[in-house]
C-alpha cells in the first residue's frame, strides 16, 4: 500500500507537533511532503529532519538563511515567504493539515482545497471568515474537509449524515476557561499570566486567550454551521469543565450520542489522518469510575459577551464573521502586550462590528479579496479603538 503524502501548515505549533508525532509513529502509512511554519527556523528544521520531510517553507523571509543552513546537506527543499507558502499549497497532497493560527491560514487552506487536497482543518478562521467560499470550493473540487478541533471532530464522529433530518440539535462543549467562576472584578484585573492558565488544555497564546473570553467557542458555533447540515436554532453550547465530553448530537428518538476522550489533541488528529479507519494512539484512557461525575452548565453571556455577540454575527454572515475574527486577533495581541484589559478584548470586537456595520462594510463577501478587505478594515478600526482606551 502506498503511503499518503501529508502537508502540515503550522508545523511548529501544538497541532502541528501532535500531527508529526502521529506520523513519526506510523512511517509505513505517511510521508511528509511539506512543512510550513511562520518564523521558528530551528523548530522547523528539527521537525523536518525528524520526519524526513521533502520540502519546508518558512513564512518569515528573514529566517531563510538560518533555515537553509540548518538543513544543509539534508536534501530537504527550502523556501521562504508568503508567496512560497501559497505556491506550495497549490500542489496536491493526499491530506493537508491546516493548523496555522489566524486569518493568515485562510488563503493557504483555500489554495489547497482548490488544488484538490483533502484538508484536516484546525484553522477556525477559514470557516469563520469565508465559510461559504470554502464550502463552495470543497464542493467544486470534490475534496474532503475533516474537522480537527476536538469539539467538531467529536460531533462528526457521532453525526449520522444519513439521519440528518432526524437530528434535533448538536451540542458544542466548552471548558469555561480559567475564569469560568470568576467575578467581573477578578476578570477586570486579570493580566495575560492569569488568562493563559487554561485548566485542561495546552495551546498557543491566541487560542488560550480566546478560550478565556469564550470567543473560541463563538468561533466554533459559526464553524458548526458550515461543517454540519444544521440551522442556528439547532446549535447549543454547554460548559463542561472536565473537558472529557467533547461534543454531542441529539436525535428525534431521544438518543443523545456523545464522543468522549482525554484532553489530547492527537485523538481528533488521528481520526482525521486515518479516516474512515482508525489508528492506535498511545496515551491516557478514560476511567469513568475514577472520574466519578461529569458536570454541565449553560454559558453566562453577561460575563462572557462573546456568547451573546455570536448569534448576531451569524445572522449578518461571513462579512461579520471576518470582522469578528480580525478585531479579535488585534485585541488579543494588544492584551498580551498589556495595552488593554481582559474585559476590553470583547468590547473592542463589539465596537468594531458596530462601526463597520454602520459603514455598510459587512456585506457578504463574494471573493477571497472581499474577505481580505473586510479583515483589513476590521483590524484598522480595532486598533483605533485600542488606541483610544
Amino acid at each position: 500500500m502506498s503511503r499518503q503524502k501529508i502537508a502540515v501548515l503550522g508545523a511548529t505549533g501544538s497541532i502541528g507537533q501532535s500531527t508529526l508525532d502521529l506520523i513519526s509513529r506510523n512511517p509505513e502509512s505517511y510521508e511528509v511532503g511539506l512543512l510550513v511554519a511562520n518564523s521558528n527556523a530551528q523548530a522547523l528544521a528539527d521537525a523536518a529532519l525528524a520526519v524526513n520531510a521533502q520540502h519546508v517553507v518558512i513564512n518569515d523571509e528573514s529566517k531563510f538563511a538560518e533555515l537553509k543552513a540548518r538543513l544543509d546537506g539534508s536534501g530537504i527543499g527550502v523556501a521562504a515567504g508568503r508567496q512560497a507558502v501559497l505556491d506550495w499549497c497549490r500542489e496536491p497532497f493526499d491530506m493537508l493539515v491546516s493548523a496555522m493560527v489566524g486569518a493568515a491560514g485562510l488563503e493557504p487552506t483555500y489554495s489547497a482545497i482548490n488544488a484538490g487536497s483533502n484538508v484536516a482543518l484546525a484553522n477556525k478562521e477559514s470557516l469563520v471568515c469565508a465559510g461559504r467560499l470554502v464550502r463552495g470550493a470543497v464542493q467544486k473540487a470534490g475534496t474532503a474537509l475533516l474537522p480537527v478541533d476536538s469539539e467538531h471532530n467529536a460531533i462528526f464522529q457521532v453525526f449520522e449524515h444519513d439521519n440528518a433530518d432526524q437530528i434535533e440539535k448538536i451540542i458544542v462543549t466548552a471548558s469555561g476557561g480559567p475564569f469560568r467562576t470568576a467575578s467581573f472584578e477578578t476578570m477586570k484585573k486579570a493580566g495575560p499570566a492569569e488568562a493563559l492558565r487554561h485548566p485542561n488544555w495546552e495551546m498557543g497564546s491566541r487560542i488560550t486567550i480566546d478560550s478565556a473570553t469564550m470567543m473560541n467557542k463563538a468561533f466554533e458555533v459559526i464553524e458548526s454551521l458550515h461543517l454540519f447540515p444544521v440551522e442556528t436554532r439547532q446549535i447549543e453550547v454547554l460548559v463542561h469543565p472536565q473537558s472529557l465530553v467533547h461534543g454531542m448530537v441529539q436525535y428525534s428518538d431521544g438518543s443523545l450520542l456523545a464522543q468522549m476522550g482525554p484532553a489530547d489533541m492527537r485523538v481528533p488528529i488521528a481520526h482525521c489522518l486515518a479516516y474512515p479507519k482508525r489508528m492506535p494512539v498511545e496515551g491516557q484512557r478514560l476511567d469513568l469510575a475514577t472520574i466519578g461525575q461529569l458536570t454541565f452548565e449553560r454559558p453566562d453571556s453577561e460575563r462572557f459577551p462573546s456568547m451573546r455577540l455570536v448569534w448576531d454575527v451569524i445572522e449578518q454572515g461571513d462579512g461579520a464573521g471576518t470582522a469578528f475574527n480580525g478585531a479579535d486577533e488585534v485585541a488579543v495581541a494588544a492584551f498580551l502586550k498589556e495595552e488593554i484589559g481582559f474585559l476590553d478584548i470583547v468590547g473592542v470586537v463589539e465596537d468594531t462590528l458596530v462601526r463597520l456595520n454602520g459603514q455598510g462594510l459587512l456585506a457578504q463577501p463574494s471573493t477571497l479579496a472581499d474577505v481580505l478587505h473586510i479583515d483589513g478594515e476590521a483590524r484598522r478600526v480595532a486598533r483605533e479603538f485600542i488606541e483610544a482606551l
Side-chain angles (χ1 to χ4, degrees):
M1 182 181 296
S2 62
R3 297 188 297 170
Q4 290 191 60
K5 183 174 286 190
I6 308 296
V8 183
L9 309 184
T12 60
S14 60
I15 298 294
Q17 290 293 293
S18 293
T19 300
L20 296 179
D21 175 69
L22 291 167
I23 289 173
S24 67
R25 295 171 187 267
N26 296 272
E28 73 286 351
S29 299
Y30 306 100
E31 60 179 326
V32 177
L34 174 68
L35 296 181
V36 174
N38 183 38
S39 61
N40 193 332
Q42 180 176 340
L44 180 57
D46 290 346
L49 291 169
V51 297
N52 193 29
Q54 296 169 6
H55 301 277
V56 296
V57 182
I58 193 160
N59 187 64
D60 186 344
E61 293 186 56
S62 70
K63 299 298 181 71
F64 174 74
E66 178 188 350
L67 181 62
K68 190 168 181 61
R70 289 182 180 278
L71 293 175
D72 185 46
S74 67
I76 298 173
V78 180
R82 178 69 172 177
Q83 190 57 52
V85 173
L86 295 175
D87 288 343
W88 271 105
C89 288
R90 295 187 182 104
E91 296 292 322
F93 296 94
D94 294 306
M95 174 74 72
L96 180 137
V97 179
S98 174
M100 293 176 72
V101 176
L106 170 57
E107 281 187 281
T109 303
Y110 192 66
S111 296
I113 293 169
N114 286 320
S117 297
N118 296 313
V119 170
L121 186 67
N123 176 263
K124 301 177 186 300
E125 294 75 15
S126 294
L127 294 180
V128 172
C129 300
R132 291 188 184 182
L133 290 173
V134 170
R135 281 189 301 160
V138 168
Q139 184 175 9
K140 183 178 179 180
T143 59
L145 185 66
L146 302 175
V148 169
D149 276 346
S150 59
E151 296 83 0
H152 297 119
N153 185 266
I155 293 168
F156 181 72
Q157 291 195 44
V158 295
F159 193 102
E160 299 175 2
H161 284 270
D162 290 341
N163 290 318
D165 61 337
Q166 296 300 315
I167 289 174
E168 291 184 349
K169 64 180 176 181
I170 63 175
I171 299 171
V172 182
T173 58
S175 70
F179 303 130
R180 179 176 65 87
T181 61
S183 66
F184 270 116
E185 191 62 27
T186 297
M187 295 167 75
K188 183 178 181 180
K189 294 178 180 178
E194 292 82 10
L196 288 169
R197 291 193 195 114
H198 194 282
N200 301 329
W201 296 94
E202 292 185 10
M203 306 174 290
S205 58
R206 193 262 169 125
I207 193 172
T208 304
I209 300 301
D210 280 344
S211 178
T213 62
M214 292 196 72
M215 281 290 290
N216 188 51
K217 208 53 48 180
F219 294 147
E220 289 174 6
V221 168
I222 297 171
E223 285 182 275
S224 296
L225 287 168
H226 296 296
L227 288 168
F228 306 106
V230 295
E231 298 177 9
T232 306
R233 61 178 176 79
Q234 293 174 283
I235 301 175
E236 182 178 352
V237 176
L238 284 180
V239 175
H240 169 53
Q242 294 84 15
S243 293
L244 298 176
V245 177
H246 302 297
M248 295 175 271
V249 178
Q250 182 168 295
Y251 293 86
S252 60
D253 62 0
S255 296
L256 181 64
L257 303 189
Q259 189 272 346
M260 301 176 64
D264 185 346
M265 282 306 299
R266 292 181 304 162
V267 175
I269 295 168
H271 183 260
C272 291
L273 287 176
Y275 185 79
K277 299 181 180 180
R278 291 183 184 266
M279 71 163 71
V281 177
E282 296 180 9
Q284 180 184 358
R285 297 296 189 263
L286 293 188
D287 183 342
L288 296 181
T290 300
I291 293 166
Q293 65 177 358
L294 304 173
T295 60
F296 301 89
E297 59 197 57
R298 301 194 188 284
D300 182 345
S301 59
E302 292 298 317
R303 288 184 304 122
F304 299 98
S306 56
M307 290 287 89
R308 166 180 53 81
L309 282 177
V310 64
W311 308 108
D312 292 334
V313 171
I314 288 171
E315 187 174 343
Q316 293 179 72
D318 286 355
T322 301
F324 197 45
N325 173 75
D328 178 67
E329 284 195 37
V330 171
V332 168
F335 170 70
L336 289 171
K337 294 177 183 176
E338 301 188 60
E339 296 173 353
I340 61 174
F342 179 76
L343 293 179
D344 293 325
I345 297 173
V346 180
V348 167
V349 173
E350 184 166 18
D351 288 343
T352 299
L353 287 169
V354 170
R355 180 183 292 184
L356 292 181
N357 188 45
Q359 295 175 348
L361 294 176
L362 298 184
Q364 181 66 38
S366 57
T367 66
L368 204 57
D370 292 340
V371 173
L372 297 177
H373 174 71
I374 295 171
D375 177 72
E377 287 298 298
R379 291 169 189 270
R380 178 184 61 79
V381 171
R383 289 190 189 98
E384 289 181 3
F385 281 119
I386 289 167
E387 291 169 1
L389 288 172

